[in-house]
Structure formats: structure tokens, C-alpha cells
């Protein structure tokens, strides 16, 4: 007897609405449950969003946010750690409730400890963000003090650079 795997949808997330201890994401109908991020994880996100927002304020080009939900489709609903979107793109991405419904230019994930978390960010989410049209994807590893920078090249996100704490990250965005 063969069973069909459950395909989760955005509507199913209502089942977990009262749970503040876990984060729920759906990629291609598969449910991913992770613990709420740690203090160090959120501190890293705060530093990244501060730099992005300071730059955005200077240039007037866009806005950054921490942990906004992105509802790409009924079976793809994720919560990236940090995103940046241009003002031009943002006006088309936000729904009436203020949720993102498409790909911002930049998505940043700060790795959480554990093989499953790393695989989700480096494989599952990389593929999703690539298919959805994200222009640039940064995977930050605060333990190893490095950032993997993926950039859109020929309709896919490809590793463009691996930077360490002494390096400077410059983006075409």
C-alpha cells in the first residue's frame, strides 16, 4: 500500500496560529518546522537590516525588513530572515494585508545550528528563491564568520562569492 505525502498549504498554517515557539514554513507543499530563532541569530539579523536600511535611507532606493512572510503561492510560504526590496518592486509585491506575494530583490538567511536547518537554507530555499526570481541571496554563517553570495545568472541563482569577516560585500543591487 503506497501513501501519498501530505501537501501543506497556506491555509493549513492557521492550525499553528497560537504557537509562538516555532516557525512554520511551506516549500513545495512540504512543512518545515523550526524553533524560534536564538538571541544571536536575531542579533545578526538586526545588524544586517540596520546596514541595509541605512544604505536605503541614503539612496532612497528601497526598504529592508526582518522576517517578513512571503506567500509565493498556496504551497510556497516562507519567512526569510531579512529581505530588501526596491520601492518600485515593493508596490507590486505587497497585498492588502501588507504581506509579500512575490520575490524581493534580496533575501538573506542567517544559518541556525543543525544539519536540517543548513540543508533547508542551502538547498531547499536556494532552489525556491531561484525559481521565484530573487536577484540575490545571502547565506550568513555567524559561526564561521562567512557569507555565501548567490546572484542571478541565466535565470538561476549561482554562487558568486564566499566572503569572510575581513572582506567587503558589494552588490550590483
Amino acid at each position: 500500500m503506497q501513501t501519498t505525502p501530505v501537501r501543506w498549504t497556506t491555509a493549513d498554517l492557521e492550525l499553528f496560529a497560537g504557537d509562538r515557539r516555532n516557525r512554520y514554513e511551506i516549500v513545495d507543499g512540504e512543512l518545515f518546522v523550526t524553533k524560534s530563532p536564538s538571541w544571536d541569530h536575531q542579533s545578526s539579523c538586526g545588524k544586517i537590516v540596520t546596514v541595509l536600511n541605512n544604505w536605503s535611507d541614503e539612496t532612497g532606493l528601497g526598504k529592508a525588513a526582518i522576517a517578513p512572510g512571503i506567500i509565493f503561492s498556496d504551497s510556497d510560504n516562507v519567512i526569510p530572515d531579512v529581505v530588501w526590496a526596491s520601492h518600485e518592486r515593493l508596490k507590486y509585491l505587497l497585498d492588502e494585508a501588507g504581506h509579500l506575494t512575490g520575490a524581493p530583490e534580496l533575501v538573506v538567511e542567517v544559518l541556525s545550528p543543525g544539519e536540517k536547518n543548513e540543508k533547508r537554507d542551502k538547498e531547499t530555499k536556494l532552489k525556491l528563491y531561484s525559481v521565484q526570481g530573487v536577484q540575490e541571496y545571502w547565506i550568513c554563517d555567524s559561526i564561521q564568520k562567512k557569507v555565501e553570495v548567490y546572484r542571478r545568472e541565466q535565470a538561476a541563482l549561482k554562487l558568486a562569492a564566499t566572503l569572510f569577516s575581513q572582506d567587503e560585500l558589494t552588490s550590483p543591487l
Side-chain angles (χ1 to χ4, degrees), residues 126 135-137 139 148-152 157-160:
L126 172 61
Q135 298 299 304
E136 198 162 320
Y137 178 41
I139 300 175
E148 292 177 352
V149 177
Y150 293 83
R151 292 199 176 111
R152 183 157 294 289
L157 289 170
K158 305 256 170 121
L159 183 63

Side-chain angles (χ1 to χ4, degrees), residues 18-93:
D19 184 356
R20 300 270 185 235
R21 293 183 182 174
N22 294 302
R23 181 181 280 191
Y24 297 89
E25 298 177 292
I26 301 169
V27 178
D28 194 23
E30 182 179 349
L31 180 66
F32 291 86
V33 182
T34 56
K35 291 181 179 176
S36 292
S38 70
W39 178 273
D40 289 338
H41 181 278
Q42 291 304 89
S43 178
S44 294
C45 292
K47 290 175 183 176
I48 293 165
V49 82
T50 298
V51 169
L52 289 172
N53 274 326
N54 286 343
W55 176 81
S56 293
D57 289 346
E58 289 172 18
T59 64
L61 293 176
K63 290 183 180 182
I66 294 178
I70 304 178
I71 305 167
F72 288 118
S73 70
D74 204 32
S75 60
D76 290 305
N77 186 328
V78 293
I79 307 169
D81 291 320
V82 176
V83 302
W84 181 87
S86 66
H87 290 299
E88 186 170 321
R89 188 176 277 205
L90 202 52
K91 62 185 170 187
Y92 298 107
L93 294 180

